[in-house]
Amino acid sequence: MTPVVGHLTIDSADPGALAAWWSRVLGWQEVWRSDDGTEVAIGSPIGGSTNWLFTRVADTKTVKNRLHVDLRPPEDHGTELARLLELGAVRVDIGQGDAPWAVLADPEGNEFCLLVNTPAEIETYLRAPG
């Protein structure tokens, strides 16, 4: 047997606020909160995904993340990019050059990417012969 990923942990200055922001982005919900609010977990309401745990840390983020999330837009890139920016994401330059995807940061500066292809487009690509 191999281990199972329990959750992905994200350091945060304000776990409640950052968990709430990502819940809006992903359509997830809070699934657990420590009594003192220093840890907040979110997860998919339909399951099937690893929960994210936001935990309070005293230090601030100073360098590019070593691990980041790549999101696929549900329908089209432009509509989802506009939605993420409206929610408070900001565009960031981490040296990606003229990439077709968007590199963004959440309210605490954690980078993530919004890819170009939708899940349906990827599924079509994977089923294509050759």
Side-chain angles (χ1 to χ4, degrees):
M1 290 185 62
T2 59
V4 174
V5 176
H7 51 258
L8 174 69
T9 302
I10 300 154
D11 291 349
S12 175
D14 186 344
L18 196 56
W21 188 85
W22 276 103
S23 289
R24 287 189 301 278
V25 167
L26 299 172
W28 287 9
Q29 61 193 22
E30 185 175 306
V31 296
W32 179 82
R33 179 182 291 258
S34 65
D35 290 339
D36 61 2
T38 59
E39 296 182 323
V40 178
I42 64 172
S44 169
I46 60 171
S49 296
T50 299
N51 290 348
W52 292 10
L53 176 68
F54 298 85
T55 185
R56 182 172 293 138
V57 296
D59 54 322
T60 58
K61 182 180 176 309
T62 58
V63 298
K64 177 182 164 295
N65 294 1
R66 295 286 304 260
L67 174 73
H68 72 264
V69 177
D70 286 344
L71 301 177
R72 291 209 181 278
E75 295 184 25
D76 72 273
H77 183 265
T79 300
E80 185 62 14
L81 179 58
R83 185 183 80 87
L84 293 171
L85 294 171
E86 177 70 25
L87 286 173
V90 294
R91 291 178 178 268
V92 293
D93 184 351
I94 57 170
Q96 69 269 18
D98 191 24
W101 59 86
V103 181
L104 305 166
D106 70 17
E108 289 199 13
N110 299 301
E111 299 91 7
F112 65 98
C113 293
L114 177 63
L115 303 177
V116 176
N117 300 93
T118 67
E121 290 168 332
I122 293 300
E123 189 66 28
T124 300
Y125 170 78
L126 293 174
R127 289 185 191 166

Short mmCIF file of all heavy atoms in Angstrom, two decimals, residues 56-127:
data_model
loop_
_atom_site.label_atom_id
_atom_site.label_comp_id
_atom_site.label_asym_id
_atom_site.label_seq_id
_atom_site.Cartn_x
_atom_site.Cartn_y
_atom_site.Cartn_z
N ARG A 56 -2.04 29.23 9.75
CA ARG A 56 -1.44 30.53 10.07
C ARG A 56 0.05 30.38 10.34
O ARG A 56 0.48 29.49 11.06
CB ARG A 56 -2.11 31.15 11.28
CG ARG A 56 -1.54 32.54 11.62
CD ARG A 56 -2.31 33.25 12.69
NE ARG A 56 -3.62 33.59 12.16
CZ ARG A 56 -4.76 33.47 12.84
NH1 ARG A 56 -4.75 33.04 14.08
NH2 ARG A 56 -5.90 33.81 12.29
N VAL A 57 0.82 31.26 9.71
CA VAL A 57 2.25 31.36 9.96
C VAL A 57 2.60 32.82 10.20
O VAL A 57 1.90 33.72 9.74
CB VAL A 57 3.09 30.80 8.78
CG1 VAL A 57 2.85 29.31 8.60
CG2 VAL A 57 2.81 31.54 7.50
N ALA A 58 3.68 33.05 10.94
CA ALA A 58 4.07 34.42 11.29
C ALA A 58 4.86 35.11 10.18
O ALA A 58 4.79 36.33 10.02
CB ALA A 58 4.90 34.40 12.57
N ASP A 59 5.60 34.32 9.40
CA ASP A 59 6.43 34.93 8.36
C ASP A 59 5.61 35.27 7.12
O ASP A 59 4.56 34.69 6.88
CB ASP A 59 7.61 34.03 7.99
CG ASP A 59 7.20 32.64 7.58
OD1 ASP A 59 6.26 32.10 8.20
OD2 ASP A 59 7.80 32.08 6.66
N THR A 60 6.10 36.22 6.35
CA THR A 60 5.42 36.62 5.11
C THR A 60 6.09 35.97 3.91
O THR A 60 7.27 35.64 3.94
CB THR A 60 5.43 38.15 4.93
OG1 THR A 60 6.79 38.59 4.91
CG2 THR A 60 4.68 38.84 6.05
N LYS A 61 5.33 35.80 2.85
CA LYS A 61 5.85 35.22 1.61
C LYS A 61 6.82 36.20 0.97
O LYS A 61 6.53 37.38 0.83
CB LYS A 61 4.68 34.92 0.66
CG LYS A 61 5.10 34.26 -0.62
CD LYS A 61 3.88 34.02 -1.48
CE LYS A 61 4.23 33.46 -2.81
NZ LYS A 61 5.24 34.15 -3.56
N THR A 62 7.99 35.71 0.57
CA THR A 62 9.00 36.60 -0.01
C THR A 62 9.52 36.15 -1.37
O THR A 62 10.12 36.94 -2.07
CB THR A 62 10.21 36.76 0.94
OG1 THR A 62 10.76 35.46 1.20
CG2 THR A 62 9.80 37.41 2.25
N VAL A 63 9.33 34.89 -1.73
CA VAL A 63 9.83 34.39 -3.02
C VAL A 63 8.74 33.62 -3.75
O VAL A 63 7.70 33.29 -3.17
CB VAL A 63 11.07 33.48 -2.83
CG1 VAL A 63 12.22 34.24 -2.21
CG2 VAL A 63 10.74 32.25 -2.00
N LYS A 64 8.99 33.31 -5.01
CA LYS A 64 8.07 32.54 -5.83
C LYS A 64 7.81 31.17 -5.18
O LYS A 64 8.70 30.57 -4.61
CB LYS A 64 8.69 32.35 -7.22
CG LYS A 64 7.89 31.51 -8.18
CD LYS A 64 8.67 31.38 -9.49
CE LYS A 64 8.15 30.27 -10.35
NZ LYS A 64 8.31 28.93 -9.81
N ASN A 65 6.56 30.72 -5.28
CA ASN A 65 6.19 29.41 -4.74
C ASN A 65 6.99 28.30 -5.41
O ASN A 65 7.25 28.36 -6.61
CB ASN A 65 4.71 29.11 -4.99
CG ASN A 65 3.77 30.02 -4.27
OD1 ASN A 65 4.17 30.92 -3.55
ND2 ASN A 65 2.49 29.77 -4.44
N ARG A 66 7.32 27.26 -4.66
CA ARG A 66 7.93 26.07 -5.23
C ARG A 66 6.85 25.12 -5.76
O ARG A 66 7.12 24.22 -6.54
CB ARG A 66 8.75 25.33 -4.18
CG ARG A 66 9.95 26.09 -3.65
CD ARG A 66 11.10 26.14 -4.63
NE ARG A 66 11.58 24.87 -5.08
CZ ARG A 66 12.65 24.25 -4.63
NH1 ARG A 66 13.38 24.78 -3.68
NH2 ARG A 66 13.01 23.09 -5.13
N LEU A 67 5.63 25.30 -5.32
CA LEU A 67 4.49 24.48 -5.73
C LEU A 67 3.35 25.44 -6.01
O LEU A 67 3.14 26.39 -5.25
CB LEU A 67 4.10 23.54 -4.58
CG LEU A 67 2.84 22.70 -4.76
CD1 LEU A 67 3.06 21.60 -5.77
CD2 LEU A 67 2.43 22.11 -3.41
N HIS A 68 2.65 25.23 -7.12
CA HIS A 68 1.50 26.10 -7.40
C HIS A 68 0.40 25.30 -8.09
O HIS A 68 0.63 24.20 -8.57
CB HIS A 68 1.91 27.33 -8.23
CG HIS A 68 2.22 27.02 -9.65
ND1 HIS A 68 3.49 26.82 -10.10
CD2 HIS A 68 1.42 26.90 -10.74
CE1 HIS A 68 3.47 26.56 -11.40
NE2 HIS A 68 2.23 26.61 -11.82
N VAL A 69 -0.77 25.89 -8.11
CA VAL A 69 -1.95 25.25 -8.69
C VAL A 69 -2.11 25.71 -10.13
O VAL A 69 -1.93 26.90 -10.43
CB VAL A 69 -3.21 25.65 -7.88
CG1 VAL A 69 -4.47 25.08 -8.50
CG2 VAL A 69 -3.06 25.22 -6.43
N ASP A 70 -2.46 24.79 -11.02
CA ASP A 70 -2.85 25.10 -12.39
C ASP A 70 -4.34 24.85 -12.50
O ASP A 70 -4.80 23.72 -12.31
CB ASP A 70 -2.13 24.21 -13.41
CG ASP A 70 -0.67 24.58 -13.60
OD1 ASP A 70 -0.27 25.68 -13.20
OD2 ASP A 70 0.07 23.74 -14.16
N LEU A 71 -5.10 25.90 -12.78
CA LEU A 71 -6.55 25.77 -12.94
C LEU A 71 -6.92 25.70 -14.41
O LEU A 71 -6.33 26.41 -15.23
CB LEU A 71 -7.26 26.98 -12.32
CG LEU A 71 -7.03 27.25 -10.84
CD1 LEU A 71 -7.76 28.53 -10.42
CD2 LEU A 71 -7.48 26.07 -10.00
N ARG A 72 -7.89 24.87 -14.74
CA ARG A 72 -8.45 24.84 -16.09
C ARG A 72 -9.77 25.61 -16.05
O ARG A 72 -10.59 25.38 -15.16
CB ARG A 72 -8.71 23.42 -16.56
CG ARG A 72 -7.43 22.66 -16.80
CD ARG A 72 -7.58 21.59 -17.84
NE ARG A 72 -6.34 20.90 -18.00
CZ ARG A 72 -5.32 21.33 -18.74
NH1 ARG A 72 -5.44 22.44 -19.42
NH2 ARG A 72 -4.20 20.66 -18.83
N PRO A 73 -10.00 26.51 -17.01
CA PRO A 73 -11.26 27.26 -17.00
C PRO A 73 -12.43 26.32 -17.31
O PRO A 73 -12.28 25.40 -18.11
CB PRO A 73 -11.07 28.29 -18.12
CG PRO A 73 -10.04 27.69 -19.02
CD PRO A 73 -9.15 26.85 -18.16
N PRO A 74 -13.58 26.54 -16.67
CA PRO A 74 -14.71 25.65 -16.92
C PRO A 74 -15.23 25.75 -18.35
O PRO A 74 -15.69 24.76 -18.91
CB PRO A 74 -15.77 26.11 -15.92
CG PRO A 74 -15.37 27.49 -15.53
CD PRO A 74 -13.89 27.58 -15.70
N GLU A 75 -15.17 26.95 -18.94
CA GLU A 75 -15.65 27.11 -20.32
C GLU A 75 -14.62 27.81 -21.18
O GLU A 75 -14.00 27.19 -22.01
CB GLU A 75 -16.99 27.84 -20.33
CG GLU A 75 -18.08 27.01 -19.65
CD GLU A 75 -19.43 27.66 -19.73
OE1 GLU A 75 -19.66 28.46 -20.66
OE2 GLU A 75 -20.25 27.37 -18.86
N ASP A 76 -14.41 29.10 -20.99
CA ASP A 76 -13.40 29.77 -21.80
C ASP A 76 -12.47 30.58 -20.92
O ASP A 76 -12.85 31.06 -19.86
CB ASP A 76 -14.04 30.63 -22.91
CG ASP A 76 -14.70 31.86 -22.34
OD1 ASP A 76 -15.88 31.77 -21.96
OD2 ASP A 76 -14.03 32.91 -22.27
N HIS A 77 -11.26 30.71 -21.39
CA HIS A 77 -10.19 31.36 -20.64
C HIS A 77 -10.52 32.81 -20.30
O HIS A 77 -10.37 33.23 -19.16
CB HIS A 77 -8.89 31.28 -21.46
CG HIS A 77 -7.71 31.85 -20.78
ND1 HIS A 77 -7.29 33.15 -20.97
CD2 HIS A 77 -6.86 31.31 -19.88
CE1 HIS A 77 -6.21 33.37 -20.24
NE2 HIS A 77 -5.94 32.27 -19.56
N GLY A 78 -11.01 33.57 -21.25
CA GLY A 78 -11.28 34.99 -21.03
C GLY A 78 -12.32 35.26 -19.97
O GLY A 78 -12.15 36.14 -19.11
N THR A 79 -13.40 34.49 -19.98
CA THR A 79 -14.46 34.66 -18.99
C THR A 79 -13.95 34.32 -17.60
O THR A 79 -14.20 35.03 -16.63
CB THR A 79 -15.68 33.79 -19.35
OG1 THR A 79 -16.16 34.19 -20.63
CG2 THR A 79 -16.78 33.93 -18.32
N GLU A 80 -13.21 33.21 -17.49
CA GLU A 80 -12.71 32.81 -16.17
C GLU A 80 -11.64 33.77 -15.68
O GLU A 80 -11.59 34.09 -14.49
CB GLU A 80 -12.17 31.37 -16.21
CG GLU A 80 -11.74 30.85 -14.86
CD GLU A 80 -12.85 30.77 -13.82
OE1 GLU A 80 -14.05 30.88 -14.17
OE2 GLU A 80 -12.53 30.59 -12.63
N LEU A 81 -10.79 34.26 -16.57
CA LEU A 81 -9.78 35.24 -16.17
C LEU A 81 -10.45 36.49 -15.60
O LEU A 81 -10.06 36.99 -14.55
CB LEU A 81 -8.88 35.59 -17.35
CG LEU A 81 -7.80 36.64 -17.07
CD1 LEU A 81 -6.88 36.20 -15.95
CD2 LEU A 81 -7.02 36.92 -18.35
N ALA A 82 -11.48 36.97 -16.27
CA ALA A 82 -12.20 38.15 -15.79
C ALA A 82 -12.82 37.88 -14.42
O ALA A 82 -12.78 38.74 -13.52
CB ALA A 82 -13.28 38.55 -16.79
N ARG A 83 -13.37 36.69 -14.21
CA ARG A 83 -13.97 36.34 -12.92
C ARG A 83 -12.92 36.32 -11.81
O ARG A 83 -13.13 36.87 -10.72
CB ARG A 83 -14.67 34.98 -13.00
CG ARG A 83 -15.44 34.59 -11.73
CD ARG A 83 -16.05 33.20 -11.86
NE ARG A 83 -15.09 32.15 -11.60
CZ ARG A 83 -14.81 31.66 -10.39
NH1 ARG A 83 -15.43 32.12 -9.31
NH2 ARG A 83 -13.93 30.69 -10.24
N LEU A 84 -11.77 35.71 -12.08
CA LEU A 84 -10.71 35.63 -11.08
C LEU A 84 -10.18 37.02 -10.72
O LEU A 84 -9.94 37.32 -9.55
CB LEU A 84 -9.58 34.73 -11.57
CG LEU A 84 -9.95 33.25 -11.71
CD1 LEU A 84 -8.83 32.50 -12.40
CD2 LEU A 84 -10.30 32.64 -10.38
N LEU A 85 -10.01 37.86 -11.72
CA LEU A 85 -9.55 39.23 -11.46
C LEU A 85 -10.59 40.00 -10.65
O LEU A 85 -10.24 40.76 -9.74
CB LEU A 85 -9.22 39.95 -12.77
CG LEU A 85 -8.03 39.36 -13.54
CD1 LEU A 85 -7.92 40.00 -14.92
CD2 LEU A 85 -6.73 39.52 -12.76
N GLU A 86 -11.87 39.80 -10.96
CA GLU A 86 -12.95 40.45 -10.21
C GLU A 86 -12.95 40.00 -8.74
O GLU A 86 -13.24 40.78 -7.84
CB GLU A 86 -14.30 40.14 -10.86
CG GLU A 86 -15.48 40.70 -10.13
CD GLU A 86 -15.59 42.22 -10.22
OE1 GLU A 86 -15.06 42.81 -11.17
OE2 GLU A 86 -16.21 42.80 -9.32
N LEU A 87 -12.60 38.72 -8.50
CA LEU A 87 -12.53 38.20 -7.13
C LEU A 87 -11.32 38.73 -6.36
O LEU A 87 -11.26 38.57 -5.14
CB LEU A 87 -12.50 36.67 -7.14
CG LEU A 87 -13.81 35.97 -7.48
CD1 LEU A 87 -13.59 34.47 -7.63
CD2 LEU A 87 -14.86 36.25 -6.41
N GLY A 88 -10.35 39.31 -7.07
CA GLY A 88 -9.19 39.86 -6.38
C GLY A 88 -7.86 39.25 -6.75
O GLY A 88 -6.83 39.63 -6.18
N ALA A 89 -7.84 38.32 -7.69
CA ALA A 89 -6.55 37.81 -8.17
C ALA A 89 -5.84 38.94 -8.91
O ALA A 89 -6.49 39.85 -9.44
CB ALA A 89 -6.76 36.62 -9.11
N VAL A 90 -4.52 38.88 -8.94
CA VAL A 90 -3.74 39.87 -9.69
C VAL A 90 -2.78 39.14 -10.62
O VAL A 90 -2.33 38.04 -10.33
CB VAL A 90 -2.96 40.82 -8.75
CG1 VAL A 90 -3.91 41.68 -7.93
CG2 VAL A 90 -2.02 40.06 -7.84
N ARG A 91 -2.52 39.77 -11.75
CA ARG A 91 -1.54 39.22 -12.69
C ARG A 91 -0.14 39.40 -12.11
O ARG A 91 0.15 40.43 -11.51
CB ARG A 91 -1.61 39.93 -14.04
CG ARG A 91 -2.88 39.64 -14.81
CD ARG A 91 -2.86 40.44 -16.12
NE ARG A 91 -4.01 40.20 -16.93
CZ ARG A 91 -4.08 39.26 -17.89
NH1 ARG A 91 -3.06 38.48 -18.13
NH2 ARG A 91 -5.17 39.11 -18.59
N VAL A 92 0.71 38.39 -12.28
CA VAL A 92 2.09 38.49 -11.82
C VAL A 92 3.03 37.99 -12.90
O VAL A 92 2.66 37.18 -13.76
CB VAL A 92 2.33 37.71 -10.50
CG1 VAL A 92 1.57 38.34 -9.35
CG2 VAL A 92 1.98 36.25 -10.64
N ASP A 93 4.25 38.49 -12.86
CA ASP A 93 5.29 38.07 -13.79
C ASP A 93 6.33 37.29 -13.01
O ASP A 93 7.00 37.84 -12.14
CB ASP A 93 5.92 39.29 -14.45
CG ASP A 93 6.95 38.92 -15.50
OD1 ASP A 93 7.32 37.73 -15.61
OD2 ASP A 93 7.42 39.84 -16.20
N ILE A 94 6.43 36.00 -13.31
CA ILE A 94 7.43 35.15 -12.67
C ILE A 94 8.45 34.68 -13.71
O ILE A 94 9.11 33.66 -13.53
CB ILE A 94 6.79 33.96 -11.92
CG1 ILE A 94 5.93 33.13 -12.88
CG2 ILE A 94 5.97 34.45 -10.74
CD1 ILE A 94 5.45 31.81 -12.30
N GLY A 95 8.51 35.41 -14.82
CA GLY A 95 9.42 35.05 -15.89
C GLY A 95 8.80 34.14 -16.93
O GLY A 95 9.52 33.49 -17.70
N GLN A 96 7.48 34.11 -17.01
CA GLN A 96 6.80 33.20 -17.95
C GLN A 96 6.87 33.67 -19.40
O GLN A 96 6.52 32.93 -20.30
CB GLN A 96 5.34 32.98 -17.53
CG GLN A 96 4.44 34.19 -17.69
CD GLN A 96 4.39 35.06 -16.44
OE1 GLN A 96 5.24 34.99 -15.57
NE2 GLN A 96 3.38 35.89 -16.36
N GLY A 97 7.30 34.90 -19.62
CA GLY A 97 7.37 35.39 -21.00
C GLY A 97 5.99 35.54 -21.61
O GLY A 97 5.03 35.86 -20.93
N ASP A 98 5.90 35.26 -22.90
CA ASP A 98 4.64 35.42 -23.64
C ASP A 98 3.86 34.10 -23.64
O ASP A 98 3.55 33.56 -24.69
CB ASP A 98 4.95 35.88 -25.06
CG ASP A 98 3.71 36.32 -25.81
OD1 ASP A 98 2.72 36.70 -25.15
OD2 ASP A 98 3.71 36.26 -27.05
N ALA A 99 3.55 33.60 -22.47
CA ALA A 99 2.84 32.33 -22.34
C ALA A 99 1.36 32.51 -22.68
O ALA A 99 0.80 33.56 -22.43
CB ALA A 99 2.98 31.80 -20.91
N PRO A 100 0.72 31.47 -23.21
CA PRO A 100 -0.70 31.58 -23.53
C PRO A 100 -1.60 31.51 -22.29
O PRO A 100 -2.75 31.89 -22.33
CB PRO A 100 -0.96 30.39 -24.45
CG PRO A 100 0.09 29.40 -24.10
CD PRO A 100 1.30 30.21 -23.69
N TRP A 101 -1.08 31.01 -21.19
CA TRP A 101 -1.85 30.94 -19.95
C TRP A 101 -1.60 32.20 -19.13
O TRP A 101 -0.69 32.97 -19.40
CB TRP A 101 -1.48 29.69 -19.15
CG TRP A 101 -0.03 29.63 -18.79
CD1 TRP A 101 0.58 30.19 -17.69
CD2 TRP A 101 1.01 28.98 -19.52
NE1 TRP A 101 1.92 29.93 -17.70
CE2 TRP A 101 2.22 29.19 -18.82
CE3 TRP A 101 1.04 28.25 -20.70
CZ2 TRP A 101 3.44 28.69 -19.27
CZ3 TRP A 101 2.26 27.76 -21.13
CH2 TRP A 101 3.43 27.98 -20.43
N ALA A 102 -2.43 32.41 -18.11
CA ALA A 102 -2.28 33.58 -17.24
C ALA A 102 -1.65 33.14 -15.92
O ALA A 102 -2.06 32.15 -15.33
CB ALA A 102 -3.64 34.22 -16.97
N VAL A 103 -0.65 33.89 -15.48
CA VAL A 103 -0.06 33.67 -14.16
C VAL A 103 -0.64 34.74 -13.24
O VAL A 103 -0.55 35.93 -13.52
CB VAL A 103 1.48 33.73 -14.20
CG1 VAL A 103 2.05 33.48 -12.82
CG2 VAL A 103 2.03 32.73 -15.22
N LEU A 104 -1.24 34.27 -12.15
CA LEU A 104 -1.95 35.14 -11.22
C LEU A 104 -1.46 34.89 -9.80
O LEU A 104 -0.74 33.91 -9.55
CB LEU A 104 -3.45 34.86 -11.30
CG LEU A 104 -4.08 34.96 -12.68
CD1 LEU A 104 -5.48 34.34 -12.67
CD2 LEU A 104 -4.14 36.40 -13.14
N ALA A 105 -1.87 35.74 -8.89
CA ALA A 105 -1.60 35.53 -7.47
C ALA A 105 -2.88 35.76 -6.68
O ALA A 105 -3.70 36.61 -7.04
CB ALA A 105 -0.50 36.47 -6.99
N ASP A 106 -3.03 35.00 -5.61
CA ASP A 106 -4.18 35.17 -4.72
C ASP A 106 -3.93 36.38 -3.81
O ASP A 106 -2.88 37.02 -3.91
CB ASP A 106 -4.45 33.86 -3.96
CG ASP A 106 -3.42 33.50 -2.90
OD1 ASP A 106 -2.61 34.35 -2.47
OD2 ASP A 106 -3.41 32.32 -2.49
N PRO A 107 -4.86 36.71 -2.93
CA PRO A 107 -4.69 37.91 -2.09
C PRO A 107 -3.46 37.91 -1.19
O PRO A 107 -3.04 38.97 -0.73
CB PRO A 107 -5.98 37.93 -1.25
CG PRO A 107 -6.98 37.28 -2.13
CD PRO A 107 -6.21 36.17 -2.82
N GLU A 108 -2.85 36.75 -0.93
CA GLU A 108 -1.64 36.71 -0.11
C GLU A 108 -0.39 36.53 -0.96
O GLU A 108 0.70 36.31 -0.44
CB GLU A 108 -1.75 35.63 0.96
CG GLU A 108 -2.74 36.01 2.05
CD GLU A 108 -2.56 35.22 3.32
OE1 GLU A 108 -1.53 34.53 3.50
OE2 GLU A 108 -3.47 35.29 4.16
N GLY A 109 -0.54 36.61 -2.29
CA GLY A 109 0.63 36.55 -3.17
C GLY A 109 1.04 35.18 -3.64
O GLY A 109 2.07 35.02 -4.29
N ASN A 110 0.25 34.14 -3.36
CA ASN A 110 0.56 32.79 -3.83
C ASN A 110 0.22 32.68 -5.31
O ASN A 110 -0.92 32.89 -5.70
CB ASN A 110 -0.24 31.75 -3.03
CG ASN A 110 0.07 31.81 -1.56
OD1 ASN A 110 1.22 31.62 -1.17
ND2 ASN A 110 -0.93 32.09 -0.76
N GLU A 111 1.22 32.33 -6.11
CA GLU A 111 1.01 32.24 -7.55
C GLU A 111 0.20 31.01 -7.93
O GLU A 111 0.28 29.97 -7.29
CB GLU A 111 2.36 32.15 -8.29
CG GLU A 111 3.26 33.33 -8.09
CD GLU A 111 4.22 33.17 -6.92
OE1 GLU A 111 4.29 32.08 -6.32
OE2 GLU A 111 4.90 34.16 -6.59
N PHE A 112 -0.58 31.17 -9.00
CA PHE A 112 -1.28 30.06 -9.61
C PHE A 112 -1.48 30.40 -11.09
O PHE A 112 -1.35 31.55 -11.49
CB PHE A 112 -2.62 29.75 -8.91
CG PHE A 112 -3.66 30.83 -9.00
CD1 PHE A 112 -4.68 30.76 -9.95
CD2 PHE A 112 -3.64 31.91 -8.13
CE1 PHE A 112 -5.66 31.75 -10.02
CE2 PHE A 112 -4.62 32.90 -8.19
CZ PHE A 112 -5.62 32.82 -9.14
N CYS A 113 -1.74 29.40 -11.89
CA CYS A 113 -1.92 29.61 -13.32
C CYS A 113 -3.35 29.29 -13.74
O CYS A 113 -3.96 28.36 -13.23
CB CYS A 113 -0.98 28.72 -14.13
SG CYS A 113 0.76 29.16 -13.92
N LEU A 114 -3.84 30.06 -14.68
CA LEU A 114 -5.10 29.75 -15.35
C LEU A 114 -4.73 29.30 -16.75
O LEU A 114 -4.24 30.08 -17.57
CB LEU A 114 -6.03 30.97 -15.41
CG LEU A 114 -7.33 30.73 -16.17
CD1 LEU A 114 -8.17 29.66 -15.49
CD2 LEU A 114 -8.10 32.02 -16.32
N LEU A 115 -4.92 28.02 -17.01
CA LEU A 115 -4.54 27.44 -18.29
C LEU A 115 -5.53 27.83 -19.37
O LEU A 115 -6.58 28.40 -19.10
CB LEU A 115 -4.45 25.92 -18.15
CG LEU A 115 -3.49 25.43 -17.07
CD1 LEU A 115 -3.52 23.91 -16.98
CD2 LEU A 115 -2.07 25.94 -17.30
N VAL A 116 -5.20 27.52 -20.61
CA VAL A 116 -6.02 27.92 -21.75
C VAL A 116 -7.11 26.89 -22.03
O VAL A 116 -8.26 27.24 -22.26
CB VAL A 116 -5.13 28.14 -22.99
CG1 VAL A 116 -5.98 28.45 -24.19
CG2 VAL A 116 -4.13 29.25 -22.73
N ASN A 117 -6.76 25.61 -22.01
CA ASN A 117 -7.72 24.56 -22.39
C ASN A 117 -8.72 24.28 -21.29
O ASN A 117 -8.38 24.25 -20.11
CB ASN A 117 -6.97 23.26 -22.71
CG ASN A 117 -6.00 23.45 -23.84
OD1 ASN A 117 -4.84 23.74 -23.59
ND2 ASN A 117 -6.46 23.28 -25.05
N THR A 118 -9.96 24.03 -21.71
CA THR A 118 -11.01 23.63 -20.77
C THR A 118 -10.92 22.12 -20.54
O THR A 118 -10.29 21.41 -21.33
CB THR A 118 -12.40 23.97 -21.34
OG1 THR A 118 -12.64 23.13 -22.48
CG2 THR A 118 -12.53 25.44 -21.70
N PRO A 119 -11.56 21.60 -19.50
CA PRO A 119 -11.56 20.14 -19.29
C PRO A 119 -12.10 19.38 -20.50
O PRO A 119 -11.58 18.34 -20.86
CB PRO A 119 -12.45 19.96 -18.06
CG PRO A 119 -12.29 21.25 -17.31
CD PRO A 119 -12.18 22.31 -18.39
N ALA A 120 -13.14 19.90 -21.15
CA ALA A 120 -13.71 19.22 -22.32
C ALA A 120 -12.71 19.17 -23.47
O ALA A 120 -12.61 18.17 -24.18
CB ALA A 120 -15.00 19.91 -22.76
N GLU A 121 -11.97 20.24 -23.67
CA GLU A 121 -10.96 20.26 -24.73
C GLU A 121 -9.85 19.26 -24.45
O GLU A 121 -9.36 18.59 -25.38
CB GLU A 121 -10.39 21.67 -24.90
CG GLU A 121 -11.38 22.65 -25.48
CD GLU A 121 -10.94 24.09 -25.38
OE1 GLU A 121 -10.18 24.44 -24.46
OE2 GLU A 121 -11.36 24.88 -26.24
N ILE A 122 -9.45 19.13 -23.22
CA ILE A 122 -8.42 18.16 -22.86
C ILE A 122 -8.93 16.75 -23.09
O ILE A 122 -8.23 15.89 -23.62
CB ILE A 122 -7.97 18.34 -21.40
CG1 ILE A 122 -7.24 19.70 -21.25
CG2 ILE A 122 -7.10 17.21 -20.92
CD1 ILE A 122 -6.01 19.83 -22.12
N GLU A 123 -10.17 16.47 -22.69
CA GLU A 123 -10.77 15.15 -22.89
C GLU A 123 -10.81 14.79 -24.38
O GLU A 123 -10.48 13.68 -24.77
CB GLU A 123 -12.18 15.10 -22.29
CG GLU A 123 -12.80 13.75 -22.25
CD GLU A 123 -12.08 12.79 -21.31
OE1 GLU A 123 -11.47 13.23 -20.32
OE2 GLU A 123 -12.12 11.58 -21.58
N THR A 124 -11.18 15.74 -25.23
CA THR A 124 -11.20 15.52 -26.67
C THR A 124 -9.80 15.20 -27.18
O THR A 124 -9.60 14.29 -27.98
CB THR A 124 -11.77 16.75 -27.40
OG1 THR A 124 -13.10 16.98 -26.93
CG2 THR A 124 -11.78 16.56 -28.91
N TYR A 125 -8.81 15.95 -26.69
CA TYR A 125 -7.43 15.73 -27.09
C TYR A 125 -6.95 14.33 -26.69
O TYR A 125 -6.32 13.62 -27.47
CB TYR A 125 -6.54 16.80 -26.45
CG TYR A 125 -5.07 16.53 -26.60
CD1 TYR A 125 -4.41 16.79 -27.79
CD2 TYR A 125 -4.34 16.00 -25.53
CE1 TYR A 125 -3.06 16.53 -27.92
CE2 TYR A 125 -2.99 15.75 -25.66
CZ TYR A 125 -2.35 16.00 -26.85
OH TYR A 125 -1.03 15.76 -26.98
N LEU A 126 -7.29 13.91 -25.48
CA LEU A 126 -6.84 12.61 -24.99
C LEU A 126 -7.49 11.46 -25.76
O LEU A 126 -6.91 10.39 -25.88
CB LEU A 126 -7.14 12.47 -23.51
CG LEU A 126 -6.32 13.41 -22.59
CD1 LEU A 126 -6.81 13.28 -21.15
CD2 LEU A 126 -4.84 13.13 -22.70
N ARG A 127 -8.68 11.66 -26.29
CA ARG A 127 -9.38 10.61 -27.03
C ARG A 127 -9.00 10.59 -28.51
O ARG A 127 -9.34 9.64 -29.21
CB ARG A 127 -10.89 10.82 -26.93
CG ARG A 127 -11.43 10.54 -25.57
CD ARG A 127 -12.92 10.65 -25.57
NE ARG A 127 -13.43 10.63 -24.21
CZ ARG A 127 -14.63 10.96 -23.87
NH1 ARG A 127 -15.50 11.34 -24.80
NH2 ARG A 127 -15.02 10.93 -22.63
#
